Amino acid sequence: MALDDTLFDAKHIWHPYSSLKSYFPIHQVTSASGVRLTLADGREVIDGMSSWWAAIHGYNHPRLNQAITDQLDDMAHVMFGGLTHQPAIKLARQLIEITAEPLQTIFFSDSGSVAVEVAIKMAIQHWFAQGKPNKQRLLTLRNGYHGDTFGAMAVCDPENGMHSMFKQVLPKHLFAPAPSCVTDADYQDSDIAEFRQLISTHHHEIAAVILEPLVQNAGGMNFYCPEYLRQVRALCDDYNVLLILDEIATNFGRTGTMFAYEQADICPDILCLGKALTGGYMTLAATLCTDNVAAGIAADGKGVLMHGPTYMANPLACAVASENLAILAESHWQQQVADIESQMEIELMPYKQYEGVADVRVKGGIGVVELIKPLDNSVMQWLPAFFVDKGVWLRPFGKLIYIMPPFIIEPADLSMLTDVIGKALLRPADDT
Ligand SMILES: *Cc1c(COP(=O)(O)O)cnc(C)c1O
């Protein structure tokens, strides 16, 4: 029975970044609770991924479950065109309250990629309505990741492989080097020089700068310093370019502050939120902008923002997001993230000395082991299964083995994650 399902899955169902012609082991999950996933064969694994940054309070949380069932009694969904509802209003109030004061308007969408699309449209429409139709390009950073839809793909790193085959159909944007200053003390003027050159040469055609603040996630888990962000903000102001911050991965405490931009003490013009917004329960994202951006879009008297997803502001998703934020506010997340950070510092840093390891770095609830060589297909045939056999759920990619566990993880469970990574690093390459 279980085998049949696995074979059916392998033959018929696409998974993220998968092929239906090359087989990689896959596991069926039957339930999840706290930081543990239960597999169909009865095994339990400790989750080191928070289901891609999302499940910050763990799985099967009684309050999040209740929020959804309560909302279900009223209505699961209703269109947002011409109608509104309490779950959306309540969530918007909460988000406007916890984000920087100038961010006063909010657009709800159904995924992070779409939140990025909306942000790009906002920026272009803002200038268009003010008689600046040439400001249509974006300036971004190499190693970035902003999603899989075409507009978002066009600002992902053009070389790192994920989207390179679509080059011909994507708009050509401007790319500055990935920042390399790790701390403000390391920061040098040369770090921003190429970015400054690009913005000063092209500002008349640039609508916005878009970047992931402090942590570039799926494009390589690169960490960089707040001073770089402050410089970017200042250059955007000098050259009349909007600043879009994509906090979809970093939002809601992951880097140690509620939003990463707080560490640089700056405010974006447009802010993208997603992933942990619903605590890993439902797909929902949001794009916030300042009154200035919103007013710009309407400046010609008829400018309406040209976007409107069918499931916009889905009430179930808004209700669970609201409760997720309430739990966060009542929890000691700063302490939880700080504890995870210091434990990972102690337990992961020794791997820096291991053969094949290029770097180990930790920031907030994110721990990264970067290898010298990318994990090739032969390693990927055993490594994921090795992790599961040892009782942990990790999903390495490229040169990276990384963890970003739910904030509620206990020290012993976190030690399991870091320990199994160490064991994998020591495993001889030919021992299959
Ligand atoms: C995951 C991610 C996205 C895309 O979000 P989806 O919900 O997968 O569409 C965009 N930007 C960043 C920084 C992300 O981490």
Side-chain angles (χ1 to χ4, degrees), residues 53 111-114 116 145-147 212 217 246 248-249 275:
W53 312 83
S111 75
S113 301
V114 176
V116 169
Y145 176 77
H146 297 284
E212 299 153 277
N217 69 95
D246 177 354
I248 291 165
K275 289 198 163 95

Short mmCIF file of all heavy atoms in Angstrom, two decimals, residues 53 111-114 116 145-147 212 217 246 248-249 275, ligand 1:
data_model
loop_
_atom_site.label_atom_id
_atom_site.label_comp_id
_atom_site.label_asym_id
_atom_site.label_seq_id
_atom_site.Cartn_x
_atom_site.Cartn_y
_atom_site.Cartn_z
N TRP A 53 10.85 28.00 6.66
CA TRP A 53 10.80 29.24 7.46
C TRP A 53 9.43 29.52 8.09
O TRP A 53 9.25 30.53 8.75
CB TRP A 53 11.13 30.49 6.62
CG TRP A 53 12.33 30.43 5.75
CD1 TRP A 53 12.40 29.88 4.49
CD2 TRP A 53 13.64 30.94 6.02
NE1 TRP A 53 13.66 30.03 3.97
CE2 TRP A 53 14.44 30.69 4.89
CE3 TRP A 53 14.19 31.62 7.11
CZ2 TRP A 53 15.78 31.06 4.82
CZ3 TRP A 53 15.53 32.00 7.04
CH2 TRP A 53 16.29 31.71 5.89
N SER A 111 0.72 34.18 -2.13
CA SER A 111 2.03 33.56 -1.92
C SER A 111 3.10 34.64 -1.96
O SER A 111 2.86 35.76 -2.42
CB SER A 111 2.33 32.51 -3.00
OG SER A 111 2.64 33.16 -4.21
N GLY A 112 4.28 34.28 -1.50
CA GLY A 112 5.37 35.24 -1.47
C GLY A 112 5.72 35.76 -2.85
O GLY A 112 5.94 36.97 -3.03
N SER A 113 5.74 34.87 -3.83
CA SER A 113 6.07 35.31 -5.19
C SER A 113 5.10 36.38 -5.66
O SER A 113 5.49 37.37 -6.29
CB SER A 113 6.04 34.12 -6.15
OG SER A 113 6.95 33.12 -5.76
N VAL A 114 3.83 36.17 -5.37
CA VAL A 114 2.83 37.14 -5.79
C VAL A 114 3.00 38.45 -5.01
O VAL A 114 2.83 39.55 -5.58
CB VAL A 114 1.39 36.58 -5.67
CG1 VAL A 114 0.36 37.63 -6.03
CG2 VAL A 114 1.23 35.36 -6.56
N VAL A 116 5.74 39.71 -4.18
CA VAL A 116 6.83 40.39 -4.88
C VAL A 116 6.33 41.00 -6.20
O VAL A 116 6.66 42.14 -6.54
CB VAL A 116 8.02 39.42 -5.12
CG1 VAL A 116 9.04 40.01 -6.07
CG2 VAL A 116 8.66 39.05 -3.78
N TYR A 145 17.06 35.81 -4.01
CA TYR A 145 15.94 34.94 -4.38
C TYR A 145 14.64 35.64 -3.99
O TYR A 145 14.45 36.03 -2.84
CB TYR A 145 16.02 33.57 -3.68
CG TYR A 145 14.80 32.74 -4.02
CD1 TYR A 145 14.70 32.10 -5.26
CD2 TYR A 145 13.73 32.64 -3.14
CE1 TYR A 145 13.57 31.38 -5.60
CE2 TYR A 145 12.59 31.92 -3.48
CZ TYR A 145 12.52 31.30 -4.71
OH TYR A 145 11.38 30.60 -5.05
N HIS A 146 13.74 35.80 -4.96
CA HIS A 146 12.48 36.51 -4.68
C HIS A 146 11.25 35.75 -5.14
O HIS A 146 10.16 36.31 -5.12
CB HIS A 146 12.52 37.90 -5.32
CG HIS A 146 13.61 38.78 -4.76
ND1 HIS A 146 13.52 39.39 -3.53
CD2 HIS A 146 14.84 39.10 -5.24
CE1 HIS A 146 14.64 40.07 -3.29
NE2 HIS A 146 15.45 39.91 -4.32
N GLY A 147 11.40 34.50 -5.56
CA GLY A 147 10.23 33.72 -5.94
C GLY A 147 10.33 33.16 -7.34
O GLY A 147 11.32 33.38 -8.05
N GLU A 212 16.70 41.34 -0.24
CA GLU A 212 16.40 40.66 1.02
C GLU A 212 17.31 41.27 2.09
O GLU A 212 18.53 41.17 1.96
CB GLU A 212 16.71 39.16 0.92
CG GLU A 212 15.93 38.43 -0.13
CD GLU A 212 16.70 37.21 -0.63
OE1 GLU A 212 17.56 37.36 -1.52
OE2 GLU A 212 16.45 36.11 -0.12
N ASN A 217 18.48 34.39 1.30
CA ASN A 217 18.19 33.00 1.68
C ASN A 217 18.43 31.99 0.57
O ASN A 217 19.54 31.49 0.41
CB ASN A 217 16.82 32.90 2.34
CG ASN A 217 15.69 33.16 1.36
OD1 ASN A 217 15.14 32.22 0.81
ND2 ASN A 217 15.35 34.40 1.11
N ASP A 246 12.26 42.65 0.68
CA ASP A 246 11.62 41.34 0.66
C ASP A 246 12.01 40.61 1.94
O ASP A 246 13.10 40.04 2.04
CB ASP A 246 12.07 40.58 -0.59
CG ASP A 246 11.49 39.17 -0.65
OD1 ASP A 246 10.84 38.74 0.32
OD2 ASP A 246 11.70 38.50 -1.69
N ILE A 248 10.26 38.12 3.21
CA ILE A 248 9.43 36.91 3.24
C ILE A 248 10.08 35.79 4.04
O ILE A 248 9.40 35.05 4.74
CB ILE A 248 9.08 36.50 1.79
CG1 ILE A 248 8.11 37.54 1.21
CG2 ILE A 248 8.49 35.09 1.72
CD1 ILE A 248 7.94 37.47 -0.31
N ALA A 249 11.41 35.69 3.97
CA ALA A 249 12.11 34.67 4.75
C ALA A 249 12.47 35.19 6.15
O ALA A 249 12.40 34.46 7.13
CB ALA A 249 13.37 34.22 4.03
N LYS A 275 5.68 33.60 4.15
CA LYS A 275 6.18 32.40 4.86
C LYS A 275 5.64 32.27 6.31
O LYS A 275 4.59 31.68 6.49
CB LYS A 275 7.69 32.34 4.80
CG LYS A 275 8.17 31.98 3.38
CD LYS A 275 9.59 31.47 3.32
CE LYS A 275 9.91 30.77 2.03
NZ LYS A 275 10.54 31.58 0.99
C1 LIG B 1 10.16 31.97 -0.34
C2 LIG B 1 10.49 33.35 -0.76
C3 LIG B 1 9.74 33.99 -1.77
C4 LIG B 1 8.63 33.29 -2.51
O1 LIG B 1 7.56 32.92 -1.69
P1 LIG B 1 6.55 31.77 -2.16
O2 LIG B 1 5.50 31.77 -1.10
O3 LIG B 1 7.35 30.51 -2.24
O4 LIG B 1 6.03 32.18 -3.49
C5 LIG B 1 10.09 35.28 -2.09
N1 LIG B 1 11.09 35.92 -1.47
C6 LIG B 1 11.81 35.34 -0.49
C7 LIG B 1 12.89 36.12 0.18
C8 LIG B 1 11.54 34.03 -0.11
O5 LIG B 1 12.27 33.46 0.85
#
